[in-house]
Amino acid sequence: MLLHRLQIGNVELENNIVLAPMAGVTDLPFRLLCKRQGVGLICMEMVSAKAIMYNNKNTEKLLEIEPEEMPVSLQFFGNDPEIMASQAARIEDRPFAILDINMGCPVPKVVNNGEGSALLKNPKLAAEIVKKVSGAISKPVTVKIRKGFDEDHVNAVEMAKYLEDAGAAAIAVHGRTREQYYSGKADWEIIAKVKEAVSIPVIGNGDIDSPLAAEKMIKETGVDGIMVGRASQGNPWIFSEIRHYLETGELAERPSIDEIKRMIHEHSELMLKVKGEYIGIREMRRHVSWYTAGMHGSAALRKRVCAVESFDELYALLEELK
Ligand SMILES: Cc1cc2nc3c(=O)[nH]c(=O)nc-3n(C[C@H](O)[C@H](O)[C@H](O)COP(=O)(O)O)c2cc1C
């Protein structure tokens, strides 16, 4: 069976399809839309353990969780085992189901601090973090890693073993190195090797952009779960489509223009509710570009969408989309 329930520590997911954590994308409105399409696990945007320690106001917003989206995985980044463990314990009573640790972020600001994918260069410290954090809370602690730091240091298998021994309840593997960022093709062979090497659940990530690719990832690598990132942008339907295909072997129809417009409305209403008009409409512009990419007249529409200042203006523009 390709679609199945997935057990991560003491958490049972209804299915093995996961929304990837994406800073600036997987905010509350977008997560709710993906949940409504039947995704099995929602990952939030990464938050800094240090920022939690300093009671940063913006970070507080990132920690908001709605009952409708549960179960969710909250992702920490950091490199100090003590701070990460104490902050995990401090927020443990919040309604996240799983705490994930980011060991894949490629951004210089993060890597130069020794956080995110920099931890791939320091498996001992990485394991120490997992050990301390999983010892400090009773919720499962998972880790998201990459193939390695660069092609000369491909160590996902070694990392996964270290992290499993340290107490990780599952591991997600993005089949690219830090040096690749998001370019080139994700290496699914390394994901298969990680799956062979550990006995905790492995979630495969990188370039799953269709139900067929989801099936291919599961069949080629044997992973327990699949994680979809960029292909969900402007396309929350990908989760119901993958579910349907894995279950029935049949491809669902792609959404019609009316369905796309309806989704933009639903997304906008959530944005307005969660972020208010000023911030909400600005963030919505980018999503509308994604929703309408490739549609007839979308380039011209995108230009105008970039200038809308209110949701009413946006809705009027959408009326022109035929
Ligand atoms: C805009 C953006 C933000 C991201 N933010 C995070 C993050 O906060 N934490 C994380 O572990 N990965 C993050 N990622 C990486 C994704 O989770 C995922 O590993 C990557 O996009 C590859 O999967 P895909 O090919 O399905 O997009 C981000 C990716 C993108 C494109």
Side-chain angles (χ1 to χ4, degrees):
M1 264 232 303
L2 299 171
L3 186 77
H4 52 80
R5 299 177 86 85
L6 180 59
Q7 188 80 33
I8 296 182
N10 57 5
V11 175
E12 192 185 25
L13 307 177
E14 200 218 292
N15 66 58
N16 52 339
I17 310 171
V18 182
L19 167 65
M22 286 183 286
V25 180
T26 52
D27 56 2
L28 181 55
F30 184 67
R31 299 198 305 264
L32 288 170
L33 297 180
C34 294
K35 181 70 178 188
R36 290 170 191 174
Q37 297 297 319
V39 69
L41 178 66
I42 298 264
C43 296
M44 300 168 70
E45 305 171 77
M46 65 178 192
V47 293
S48 153
K50 270 198 192 134
I52 293 177
M53 188 169 76
Y54 295 130
N55 297 316
N56 181 295
K57 221 174 68 206
N58 297 334
T59 301
E60 186 54 42
K61 274 258 160 237
L62 293 178
L63 295 173
E64 271 172 34
I65 296 166
E66 283 276 329
E68 189 192 333
E69 58 173 329
M70 293 175 195
V72 305
S73 164
L74 189 149
Q75 191 185 56
F76 262 20
F77 72 98
N79 69 349
D80 184 321
E82 301 294 342
I83 292 178
M84 293 174 84
S86 64
Q87 296 314 304
R90 199 176 137 208
I91 63 159
E92 188 180 8
D93 59 352
R94 291 176 185 245
F96 60 92
I98 292 171
L99 185 75
D100 187 59
I101 297 176
N102 182 316
M103 300 195 187
C105 181
V107 176
K109 207 171 72 180
V110 171
V111 173
N112 295 339
N113 269 344
E115 303 171 328
S117 60
L119 289 166
L120 299 172
K121 293 200 286 192
N122 196 343
K124 273 208 175 124
L125 177 61
E128 171 80 2
I129 289 171
V130 170
K131 200 166 172 196
K132 282 263 157 65
V133 176
S134 57
I137 62 174
S138 58
K139 291 180 182 179
V141 173
T142 60
V143 188
K144 184 157 172 282
I145 62 171
R146 282 183 177 244
K147 173 180 179 178
F149 197 79
D150 55 36
E151 281 304 324
D152 295 330
H153 301 88
V154 171
N155 65 347
V157 172
E158 179 201 349
M159 279 293 289
K161 286 191 196 159
Y162 256 82
L163 300 173
E164 177 179 41
D165 286 347
I171 298 207
V173 187
H174 177 194
R176 285 189 178 80
T177 62
R178 183 268 171 171
E179 206 174 58
Q180 284 179 294
Y181 268 63
Y182 301 103
S183 69
K185 217 172 137 224
D187 174 2
W188 289 4
E189 270 175 37
I190 190 83
I191 299 174
K193 285 185 185 150
V194 171
K195 170 62 197 162
E196 250 175 49
V198 296
S199 49
I200 49 175
V202 174
I203 295 164
N205 171 240
D207 297 347
I208 299 175
D209 58 1
S210 68
L212 292 166
E215 177 192 43
K216 196 163 178 263
M217 164 74 90
I218 298 173
K219 287 192 169 162
E220 279 183 11
T221 65
V223 284
D224 306 280
I226 51 162
M227 178 184 271
V228 180
R230 289 163 299 169
S232 67
Q233 294 173 343
N235 185 26
W237 300 274
I238 192 161
F239 296 111
S240 53
E241 290 173 1
I242 290 176
R243 266 184 77 145
H244 183 74
Y245 181 68
L246 294 184
E247 216 163 27
T248 66
E250 280 164 22
L251 287 171
E253 251 178 61
R254 296 257 56 217
S256 63
I257 292 187
D258 280 346
E259 177 57 15
I260 293 172
K261 286 201 231 175
R262 201 200 55 71
M263 186 69 84
I264 296 175
H265 272 268
E266 190 179 341
H267 200 157
S268 299
E269 278 159 23
L270 288 166
M271 273 287 195
L272 182 62
K273 201 167 134 208
V274 174
K275 309 202 180 193
E277 181 123 38
Y278 186 84
I279 293 177
I281 191 66
R282 278 162 182 76
E283 294 196 4
M284 198 58 209
R285 292 172 185 161
R286 201 158 45 110
H287 290 280
V288 175
S289 300
W290 286 326
Y291 280 114
T292 57
M295 277 164 79
H296 180 70
S298 69
L301 178 93
R302 260 203 300 283
K303 258 197 185 153
R304 294 167 68 200
V305 165
C306 283
V308 292
E309 294 280 343
S310 73
F311 284 103
D312 283 343
E313 262 181 75
L314 173 65
Y315 299 151
L317 265 186
L318 288 181
E319 286 302 309
E320 295 176 25
L321 214 56
K322 296 268 183 322

